[in-house]
Amino acid sequence: MTVQIQTEDFDLGAEILNLRRGNTGIGAVASFVGLVRDLNHSTTVTEMTLEHYPGMTEKALAEIVEEAKRRWNIIDALVIHRIGPLKPTDQIVLVAVSSAHRGDAFAACEFIMDYLKTRAPFWKKEQTEAGAHWVDARESDETTAQRWTAPSA
Amino acid sequence: MTVQIQTEDFDLGAEILNLRRGNTGIGAVASFVGLVRDLNHSTTVTEMTLEHYPGMTEKALAEIVEEAKRRWNIIDALVIHRIGPLKPTDQIVLVAVSSAHRGDAFAACEFIMDYLKTRAPFWKKEQTEAGAHWVDARESDETTAQRWTAPSA
Amino acid sequence: MITLLYFARLRETFGLSSEQANLPADVADIRSLTEWLRQRGGAWQEELAQDKPVRVAVNQDMATPDTSVRDGDEVAFFPPVTGG
Amino acid sequence: MITLLYFARLRETFGLSSEQANLPADVADIRSLTEWLRQRGGAWQEELAQDKPVRVAVNQDMATPDTSVRDGDEVAFFPPVTGG
């Protein structure tokens, strides 16, 4: 289980090869890459800056990954999240999960992304032609994350 | 929308870069890689051979991808499935979907895999220490695929 | 004349991957075609028995017992698929 | 003494990313700490108003208004997160 916060870009192919290395029981790898779009709510984004809370970010992500490990039968998981200035089409985040069977990998990967979006301390500031502004949290992200909570809990 | 059947291996990183190329509106790429496990139902697998139905395979996969496009707001999709002899840890299949938002990419990618497992004409023959045998279809794959069918349909 | 294709376990058990066949006048759909093949006996009778989960495609689309079969069609018999 | 941290829009609006503070005796939880900071007026009163969706973490765990605050704690105030 690996969690990395970094300013540098990452290489999806190399990271997945590394995740798979040495485990012949892996039958499935689900992965997700989040990218900077040039258009957000009809505004042209020229640059985006990602701020985070050093220390708490790593702790929050490790807890999310541990929770995924408790809920599904997964072999390994990787989260890489970039910080600092990013441009449109730049990679922001990678979540990858390996497992024996595909259902576990898909569910755990989507769960980690949904929880990361609502529980990991990152904030986006967009630079647009009209100036800079902090991106507002989307209520739909909270709704999406809540579907992983057992209704009877 | 690309569907490829091939004996050669594929490069996940290069394929995803190619899928993203030239579209600055992509905010999410979900992907799945299926791999040969060395152990299946407690038997050691030394080799696996994938047979397919040339012509129908491409048609079935194209229809599955088109159905995903109708159901979700996706930008592009890619399916690569290998045929012929494969060894443990070899890549079998890649499904990748790009979209503006992550929910569409995750759902469409998992949908394509679930439908591929039950509707695309591929068959696996395993070579084990005890001899060769055709892999039986798993009932759970049919059940998994059926959850995408609207209950009221 | 129709083209018959067999895949995977059926191909091996029948020792045949394809054949051309002239259909008898009373074979008009997949149900009657399957029954006609079953009458060959041996592996055909066994593999195409009603309790066996055989799949059929007509012209590369999945078919049901009621799907019609006409001259010129490509009809494929195979086990449930196991790719991915 | 506690350490107070501010992130993103709060950091910019307060013009401050961190500070050390001696807590008055009647500040024992996040609710009373927030009220105490609000009394600074200006941006503090505005950004920490009860209808603003401010999040608080104590020692790097998400907190609620009832979470206790003690000497030596690290308390962070920030907007709802928007990473990923």
Side-chain angles (χ1 to χ4, degrees):
Chain A
M1 308 282 154
T2 308
V3 166
Q4 287 170 229
I5 315 295
Q6 62 190 46
T7 50
E8 316 85 70
D9 198 8
F10 52 82
D11 179 335
L12 169 65
E15 294 296 343
I16 299 296
L17 271 181
N18 194 44
L19 184 75
R20 289 172 43 195
R21 200 182 311 282
N23 194 322
T24 56
I26 296 174
V29 176
S31 63
F32 177 84
V33 175
L35 304 155
V36 182
R37 297 163 65 215
D38 64 352
L39 207 71
N40 203 7
H41 301 293
S42 318
T43 314
T44 302
V45 176
T46 53
E47 191 174 84
M48 170 173 286
T49 305
L50 268 145
E51 178 170 330
H52 79 129
Y53 179 172
M56 180 172 170
T57 318
E58 292 81 351
K59 189 168 181 280
L61 291 175
E63 281 167 5
I64 292 167
V65 169
E66 283 306 312
E67 179 63 25
K69 204 176 170 183
R70 274 191 293 275
R71 293 191 186 205
W72 291 281
N73 200 359
I74 68 179
I75 293 172
D76 206 354
L78 167 69
V79 179
I80 301 179
H81 201 297
R82 293 177 70 191
I83 50 170
L86 298 171
K87 300 275 187 195
T89 78
D90 277 354
Q91 302 187 116
I92 305 170
V93 62
L94 165 64
V95 173
V97 177
S98 62
S99 60
H101 302 290
R102 75 185 184 287
D104 293 305
F106 270 119
C109 186
E110 190 164 15
F111 168 85
I112 292 170
M113 267 310 298
D114 286 349
Y115 267 44
L116 183 157
K117 293 287 272 189
T118 52
R119 285 157 175 75
F122 292 102
W123 301 273
K124 282 175 180 159
K125 190 177 191 176
E126 282 178 353
Q127 184 75 44
T128 70
E129 288 159 348
H133 66 270
W134 291 95
V135 173
D136 278 328
R138 303 197 316 168
E139 204 173 322
S140 64
D141 281 332
E142 190 50 50
T143 314
T144 302
Q146 277 166 9
R147 81 197 147 117
W148 299 102
T149 312
S152 59
Chain B
M1 309 285 154
T2 308
V3 167
Q4 287 170 231
I5 316 294
Q6 61 190 45
T7 50
E8 315 87 69
D9 198 9
F10 52 81
D11 179 335
L12 170 66
E15 294 296 343
I16 299 296
L17 272 180
N18 193 45
L19 185 75
R20 290 172 44 193
R21 202 183 309 282
N23 193 322
T24 56
I26 295 174
V29 176
S31 62
F32 177 84
V33 175
L35 304 155
V36 182
R37 297 163 65 215
D38 62 355
L39 208 70
N40 203 6
H41 302 293
S42 318
T43 314
T44 301
V45 176
T46 53
E47 190 174 86
M48 169 174 284
T49 306
L50 268 145
E51 177 170 330
H52 78 129
Y53 179 174
M56 180 170 171
T57 317
E58 292 81 350
K59 189 167 182 279
L61 290 174
E63 281 168 4
I64 292 168
V65 169
E66 282 306 313
E67 179 63 26
K69 204 176 170 181
R70 274 190 294 274
R71 292 191 186 205
W72 291 281
N73 200 1
I74 68 179
I75 293 172
D76 205 354
L78 166 69
V79 179
I80 301 180
H81 201 298
R82 293 176 72 191
I83 50 172
L86 298 171
K87 298 276 188 196
T89 79
D90 278 354
Q91 302 187 114
I92 305 170
V93 61
L94 165 64
V95 173
V97 176
S98 62
S99 60
H101 303 290
R102 75 186 184 288
D104 293 304
F106 270 118
C109 185
E110 192 165 12
F111 168 86
I112 291 170
M113 268 309 299
D114 286 349
Y115 267 43
L116 183 157
K117 294 285 274 190
T118 52
R119 286 157 175 74
F122 293 102
W123 300 274
K124 282 175 180 158
K125 189 177 193 179
E126 283 178 353
Q127 183 76 43
T128 71
E129 288 159 349
H133 66 270
W134 290 96
V135 174
D136 277 329
R138 302 197 318 167
E139 204 174 318
S140 63
D141 281 332
E142 189 52 48
T143 314
T144 302
Q146 276 166 8
R147 80 196 148 118
W148 299 103
T149 313
S152 59
Chain C
M1 286 271 277
I2 65 166
T3 302
L4 290 164
L5 304 175
Y6 309 105
F7 290 98
R9 197 190 63 244
L10 296 189
R11 175 178 55 72
E12 289 190 347
T13 313
F14 298 159
L16 194 66
S17 61
S18 74
E19 62 177 311
Q20 304 287 320
N22 283 307
L23 293 184
D26 61 342
V27 168
D29 59 19
I30 292 302
R31 186 178 290 103
S32 50
L33 173 62
T34 308
E35 178 54 33
W36 181 68
L37 290 170
R38 211 181 280 137
Q39 287 168 11
R40 293 176 172 179
W44 301 86
Q45 189 165 12
E46 197 174 312
E47 290 290 348
L48 302 179
Q50 284 185 347
D51 61 341
K52 286 290 183 86
V54 172
R55 302 286 185 266
V56 186
V58 173
N59 298 325
Q60 307 189 351
D61 278 322
M62 292 306 297
T64 67
D66 294 327
T67 304
S68 310
V69 177
R70 288 182 198 81
D71 251 19
D73 281 349
E74 174 180 300
V75 182
F77 289 77
F78 46 78
V81 306
T82 56
Chain D
M1 285 272 277
I2 64 165
T3 302
L4 289 164
L5 303 175
Y6 309 105
F7 291 99
R9 196 191 64 243
L10 296 189
R11 175 179 55 70
E12 289 190 347
T13 313
F14 298 160
L16 194 66
S17 61
S18 75
E19 62 177 313
Q20 303 288 319
N22 283 304
L23 294 184
D26 60 341
V27 169
D29 59 18
I30 292 301
R31 186 178 290 104
S32 51
L33 173 61
T34 308
E35 177 54 32
W36 181 67
L37 290 170
R38 212 181 280 137
Q39 285 168 15
R40 292 175 172 179
W44 301 86
Q45 188 165 15
E46 196 173 312
E47 291 289 349
L48 303 178
Q50 284 186 346
D51 61 339
K52 285 292 182 83
V54 173
R55 300 287 185 266
V56 186
V58 174
N59 299 326
Q60 307 189 350
D61 278 322
M62 292 306 296
T64 68
D66 294 327
T67 303
S68 310
V69 177
R70 287 181 199 81
D71 250 19
D73 281 349
E74 173 179 300
V75 182
F77 289 78
F78 46 78
V81 306
T82 56

